[in-house]
């Protein structure tokens, strides 16, 4: 009876573990070659932070300049900038939770989920797959710019500048969480532990990367 009870407890714990970290998000060792037979796709699937900075720092600065140039005064432009940063943090949470972490039910969905995000969970220390490739982030940014322009009209540029700045902060923070050493500030240590718990303790929780605020709001 005692052995049966221990076996039952073990099975229960394993089921909880599988639910918290399903197989398609379970960490593996090493790095990955995603496109063995296509060097171009393999190259396009890899990216490092300097490339992201080279593209989106000027883009954010240009958007803020356009806000001023198109007659939005300085203080409203600054307010729109910070509104964009705040909105990015919510967008990051929602996108990570509901798009990156949708549960695949078919082989096609499994491959799609792996390509979008599962690869990062399976190979969390692969330095070339931590930030979104610009072949994806640039078209997505333009699509979001069109949506924001439809909603905000001429006020879009200050907001979009802040949104891109929020994205940059997210990408740099995410890279630092996985590869920087010696986080000394308690806030940074909390952000790091919050994200690593999402990877290695429970993938159903902790969807905010640059801030845990929205996880607190939505109790995840």
């Amino acid at each position: 009876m005692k052995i049966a009870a221990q076996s039952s407890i073990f099975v229960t714990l394993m089921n909880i573990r599988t639910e918290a970290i399903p197989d398609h998000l379970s960490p593996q060792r090493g790095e990955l070659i995603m496109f063995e037979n296509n060097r171009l796709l393999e190259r396009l699937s890899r990216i490092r932070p300097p490339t992201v900075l080279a593209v989106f720092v000027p883009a954010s600065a240009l958007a803020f300049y356009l806000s001023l140039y198109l007659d939005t005064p300085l203080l409203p432009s600054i307010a729109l900038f910070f509104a964009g940063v705040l909105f990015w943090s919510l967008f990051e949470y929602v996108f990570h939770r509901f798009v990156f972490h949708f549960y695949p039910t078919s082989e096609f969905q499994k491959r799609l989920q792996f390509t979008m995000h599962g690869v990062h969970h399976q190979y969390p220390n692969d330095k070339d797959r931590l930030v979104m490739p610009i072949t994806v982030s640039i078209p997505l940014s333009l699509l979001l710019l069109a949506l924001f322009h439809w909603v905000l009209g001429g006020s879009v540029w200050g907001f979009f500048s802040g949104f891109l700045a929020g994205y940059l902060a997210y990408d740099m923070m995410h890279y630092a969480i996985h590869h920087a050493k010696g986080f000394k500030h308690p806030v940074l240590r909390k952000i790091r532990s919050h994200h690593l718990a999402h990877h290695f303790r429970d993938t159903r929780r902790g969807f905010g990367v640059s801030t845990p605020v929205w996880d607190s709001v939505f109790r995840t």
Side-chain angles (χ1 to χ4, degrees), residues 102 104 106-118:
F102 82 90
S106 67
E107 287 303 316
F108 172 76
Q109 289 182 5
K110 288 178 181 178
R111 182 62 183 172
L112 178 64
Q113 204 279 340
F114 177 80
T115 302
M116 288 197 311
H117 191 60

Side-chain angles (χ1 to χ4, degrees), residues 33-212:
I33 297 176
M34 290 183 66
F35 303 99
E36 293 184 9
N37 299 319
N38 193 318
R39 290 185 178 181
L40 177 61
L41 286 179
E42 178 63 20
R43 184 176 181 83
L44 291 175
S45 73
R46 294 179 174 273
I47 190 171
R48 290 284 179 98
T51 304
V52 178
L53 291 170
V55 171
F56 286 101
V57 168
S60 178
L62 175 61
F64 194 81
Y65 169 77
L66 287 174
S67 181
L68 299 175
Y69 181 77
L70 297 174
D71 295 329
T72 301
L74 178 60
L75 289 180
S77 291
I78 292 173
L80 286 165
F81 177 89
F82 283 106
V85 172
L86 179 62
F87 183 76
W88 162 262
S89 69
L90 177 60
F91 178 86
E92 168 197 317
Y93 173 89
V94 171
F95 202 82
H96 188 187
R97 180 177 179 181
F98 296 106
V99 178
F100 281 168
H101 276 269
F102 82 90
Y103 197 90
T105 57
S106 67
E107 287 303 316
F108 172 76
Q109 289 182 5
K110 288 178 181 178
R111 182 62 183 172
L112 178 64
Q113 204 279 340
F114 177 80
T115 302
M116 288 197 311
H117 191 60
V119 61
H120 171 55
H121 272 266
Q122 290 195 23
Y123 299 91
N125 294 320
D126 189 335
K127 292 184 178 181
D128 291 340
R129 304 193 190 280
L130 267 170
V131 296
M132 185 178 290
I134 58 173
T135 50
V136 177
S137 59
I138 291 177
L140 181 59
S141 297
L142 294 175
L143 179 63
L144 289 169
L145 173 59
L147 177 62
F148 296 157
H149 187 271
W150 179 67
V151 174
L152 297 172
S155 300
V156 69
W157 295 109
F159 181 87
F160 189 61
S161 175
F163 186 82
L164 293 182
Y167 167 66
L168 283 168
Y170 152 80
D171 255 355
M172 298 307 107
M173 175 62 73
H174 191 201
Y175 193 88
I177 285 170
H178 285 277
H179 292 289
K181 304 294 184 181
F183 278 64
K184 295 182 179 180
H185 196 282
V187 173
L188 296 179
R189 288 204 302 266
K190 178 177 175 59
I191 290 172
R192 184 173 189 268
S193 63
H194 180 78
H195 182 62
L196 293 182
H198 168 73
H199 272 277
F200 302 109
R201 187 178 301 164
D202 193 342
T203 60
R204 302 165 301 178
R205 303 178 64 83
F207 297 102
V209 177
S210 56
T211 174

